[in-house]
Amino acid sequence: TGSPLEAILTALVRAACHEVLPAELDDLSSGKDAVRPSATLAGADFESRAPWSAFCRLRAAPRFRAADGAVEYATVSDLGLERTWRFADASELASAINLRLPPTAIIADARAGGGGRILLTTRAHLEWQLAHGQLHCGRCGLFCAGERGMRDHMLVKHRAPYEAALETARESRTQLVPWTPPPAGTLSMLALAQRQALLQKREARGCLELDEGLRAARED
């Protein structure tokens, strides 16, 4: 059984699926395809593979499968508007579903990930990472250790010019905000355990780059 937060996030993904998928498939955000904690906290803290499962089922049905391997179908909205959809792969479907997630203050960042997943970074997770010296990459959603980590990340992963990487690293420093514990019940026990394990691993490697104010606050 998931946490209350997982249930809320699953309902949001289900609402987005309802906007995009045929009626017989828009329940895929439940069960094994419900939102679950991510295996790693280097990026988003929750994910759903509902788009991947939906694409596989669509492609397996002859009526939805196009000759080139893509999927194609028509839906009718609650307002009676008909629309034709075509997706070459699960990632395209994930992007369409992600764009239709209902707005909520719970989610700080939502994006389509590789393999037809939807990656969700909650505001609580973002604040936890920022408070422990990690900076959030707006391009891919990963967290980097301080300005130097962000600079190297931009240079290596995103092939940014050196000056642009430096500027991004400087600007990302303004992301830092004081962290306050999230309300009870908003994080799963697994997510909390993962956070603690991740923090201990970073401290063991000596890679936390906290400013003096944050470091002093942790030592009090």
Side-chain angles (χ1 to χ4, degrees):
T1 303
S3 68
L5 177 56
E6 289 168 48
I8 293 172
L9 296 177
T10 295
L12 295 173
V13 174
R14 184 181 295 118
C17 286
H18 178 72
E19 296 292 323
V20 178
L21 298 176
E24 57 265 45
L25 291 181
D26 68 5
D27 64 343
L28 275 175
S29 62
S30 60
K32 64 181 181 180
D33 297 311
V35 172
R36 292 289 182 262
S38 299
T40 174
L41 293 179
D45 49 334
F46 290 95
E47 65 177 59
S48 171
R49 65 171 194 170
W52 178 84
S53 294
F55 186 83
C56 290
R57 288 180 59 179
L58 288 166
R59 192 167 56 180
R63 68 184 184 280
F64 298 136
R65 186 176 62 245
D68 60 359
V71 298
E72 192 172 47
Y73 57 89
T75 59
V76 179
S77 71
D78 294 337
L79 298 177
L81 301 177
E82 184 172 340
R83 175 168 180 174
T84 298
W85 302 87
R86 179 182 173 83
F87 302 107
D89 54 36
S91 294
E92 287 189 1
L93 177 57
S95 294
I97 293 175
N98 180 66
L99 287 173
R100 288 160 180 82
L101 285 171
T104 172
I106 296 174
I107 299 175
D109 182 78
R111 63 184 66 226
R117 296 172 300 150
I118 293 178
L119 306 178
L120 304 172
T121 300
T122 62
R123 189 164 301 280
H125 179 58
L126 175 65
E127 293 182 353
W128 185 90
Q129 292 278 19
L130 298 181
H132 291 94
Q134 303 298 298
L135 302 180
H136 185 251
C137 177
R139 291 197 186 184
C140 66
L142 293 178
F143 289 94
C144 308
E147 288 187 48
R148 181 174 179 178
M150 178 63 73
R151 182 201 66 191
D152 294 344
H153 173 77
M154 294 300 297
L155 289 170
V156 176
K157 182 175 179 62
H158 299 300
R159 306 289 184 180
Y162 186 77
E163 289 301 323
L166 281 178
E167 184 62 24
T168 299
R170 295 190 193 102
E171 292 178 353
S172 65
R173 195 65 180 175
T174 62
Q175 296 173 345
L176 285 175
V177 295
W179 179 70
T180 55
T186 60
L187 295 175
S188 68
M189 293 302 295
L190 175 58
L192 289 170
Q194 286 177 319
R195 283 167 171 75
Q196 186 60 32
L198 181 64
L199 179 58
Q200 291 174 351
K201 182 178 180 180
R202 287 175 180 162
E203 290 178 325
R205 295 203 317 261
C207 67
L208 281 179
E209 298 185 12
L210 303 179
D211 62 29
E212 290 302 317
L214 287 173
R215 190 180 300 279
R218 287 187 56 228
E219 293 173 349
D220 288 342

Short mmCIF file of all heavy atoms in Angstrom, two decimals, residues 14 58 100 108-109 121 128 148 150 169 180-181 184 202:
data_model
loop_
_atom_site.label_atom_id
_atom_site.label_comp_id
_atom_site.label_asym_id
_atom_site.label_seq_id
_atom_site.Cartn_x
_atom_site.Cartn_y
_atom_site.Cartn_z
N ARG A 14 -3.65 9.65 -13.34
CA ARG A 14 -4.86 9.05 -13.89
C ARG A 14 -5.70 10.09 -14.63
O ARG A 14 -6.25 9.82 -15.71
CB ARG A 14 -5.69 8.40 -12.78
CG ARG A 14 -6.94 7.66 -13.30
CD ARG A 14 -7.74 7.05 -12.18
NE ARG A 14 -6.98 6.00 -11.51
CZ ARG A 14 -6.63 6.04 -10.23
NH1 ARG A 14 -6.95 7.09 -9.49
NH2 ARG A 14 -5.95 5.06 -9.70
N LEU A 58 -1.38 -0.68 -26.50
CA LEU A 58 -1.91 -0.10 -27.73
C LEU A 58 -1.27 -0.75 -28.96
O LEU A 58 -1.96 -1.09 -29.93
CB LEU A 58 -1.65 1.41 -27.75
CG LEU A 58 -2.49 2.26 -26.81
CD1 LEU A 58 -1.89 3.66 -26.68
CD2 LEU A 58 -3.94 2.34 -27.31
N ARG A 100 -0.48 17.13 -19.63
CA ARG A 100 -1.87 17.26 -19.19
C ARG A 100 -2.06 16.93 -17.71
O ARG A 100 -3.19 16.76 -17.26
CB ARG A 100 -2.76 16.39 -20.08
CG ARG A 100 -2.89 16.99 -21.47
CD ARG A 100 -3.33 16.00 -22.53
NE ARG A 100 -3.43 16.69 -23.82
CZ ARG A 100 -2.38 16.93 -24.63
NH1 ARG A 100 -1.16 16.52 -24.26
NH2 ARG A 100 -2.53 17.57 -25.77
N ALA A 108 6.92 20.06 -7.82
CA ALA A 108 7.83 21.14 -8.20
C ALA A 108 8.30 20.97 -9.64
O ALA A 108 8.58 21.96 -10.32
CB ALA A 108 9.02 21.18 -7.26
N ASP A 109 8.42 19.74 -10.11
CA ASP A 109 8.91 19.47 -11.46
C ASP A 109 8.32 18.17 -11.96
O ASP A 109 8.34 17.16 -11.25
CB ASP A 109 10.44 19.39 -11.47
CG ASP A 109 11.01 19.18 -12.87
OD1 ASP A 109 11.07 20.16 -13.63
OD2 ASP A 109 11.37 18.03 -13.21
N THR A 121 8.99 15.29 -9.32
CA THR A 121 9.78 15.81 -8.19
C THR A 121 8.85 16.62 -7.32
O THR A 121 8.33 17.66 -7.74
CB THR A 121 10.94 16.69 -8.68
OG1 THR A 121 11.80 15.92 -9.52
CG2 THR A 121 11.74 17.23 -7.49
N TRP A 128 14.27 19.49 0.25
CA TRP A 128 15.23 18.65 0.99
C TRP A 128 16.57 18.63 0.29
O TRP A 128 17.62 18.77 0.91
CB TRP A 128 14.67 17.23 1.12
CG TRP A 128 15.51 16.32 1.96
CD1 TRP A 128 15.43 16.13 3.31
CD2 TRP A 128 16.58 15.48 1.50
NE1 TRP A 128 16.38 15.21 3.72
CE2 TRP A 128 17.09 14.80 2.63
CE3 TRP A 128 17.14 15.23 0.25
CZ2 TRP A 128 18.15 13.89 2.54
CZ3 TRP A 128 18.20 14.33 0.15
CH2 TRP A 128 18.68 13.67 1.28
N ARG A 148 29.95 23.70 -8.49
CA ARG A 148 30.92 22.97 -9.29
C ARG A 148 30.28 21.75 -9.94
O ARG A 148 30.52 21.47 -11.11
CB ARG A 148 32.11 22.55 -8.44
CG ARG A 148 33.18 21.82 -9.23
CD ARG A 148 34.40 21.54 -8.39
NE ARG A 148 35.41 20.81 -9.14
CZ ARG A 148 36.60 20.47 -8.66
NH1 ARG A 148 36.93 20.80 -7.42
NH2 ARG A 148 37.46 19.81 -9.41
N MET A 150 27.14 21.40 -10.69
CA MET A 150 26.24 21.87 -11.74
C MET A 150 27.03 22.27 -12.99
O MET A 150 26.64 21.97 -14.11
CB MET A 150 25.40 23.03 -11.24
CG MET A 150 24.45 23.62 -12.28
SD MET A 150 23.20 22.45 -12.85
CE MET A 150 22.13 22.38 -11.39
N ALA A 169 25.43 27.58 -13.37
CA ALA A 169 25.82 27.18 -12.02
C ALA A 169 25.60 28.32 -11.04
O ALA A 169 25.09 28.12 -9.94
CB ALA A 169 27.28 26.74 -12.01
N THR A 180 12.05 22.82 5.60
CA THR A 180 11.20 22.51 6.75
C THR A 180 10.62 21.14 6.54
O THR A 180 10.30 20.75 5.41
CB THR A 180 10.05 23.53 6.89
OG1 THR A 180 9.32 23.57 5.66
CG2 THR A 180 10.60 24.91 7.20
N PRO A 181 10.49 20.33 7.61
CA PRO A 181 9.96 18.98 7.44
C PRO A 181 8.58 19.01 6.80
O PRO A 181 7.74 19.83 7.16
CB PRO A 181 9.89 18.45 8.89
CG PRO A 181 10.89 19.28 9.63
CD PRO A 181 10.83 20.64 8.99
N ALA A 184 3.20 15.43 8.10
CA ALA A 184 3.14 13.99 8.32
C ALA A 184 2.25 13.32 7.28
O ALA A 184 1.18 13.81 6.93
CB ALA A 184 2.60 13.70 9.73
N ARG A 202 26.41 10.73 0.92
CA ARG A 202 27.07 11.96 0.50
C ARG A 202 28.05 12.45 1.57
O ARG A 202 29.16 12.89 1.27
CB ARG A 202 26.02 13.04 0.23
CG ARG A 202 25.22 12.82 -1.04
CD ARG A 202 24.15 13.87 -1.15
NE ARG A 202 23.36 13.69 -2.36
CZ ARG A 202 22.16 14.24 -2.54
NH1 ARG A 202 21.64 14.99 -1.60
NH2 ARG A 202 21.50 14.04 -3.66
#
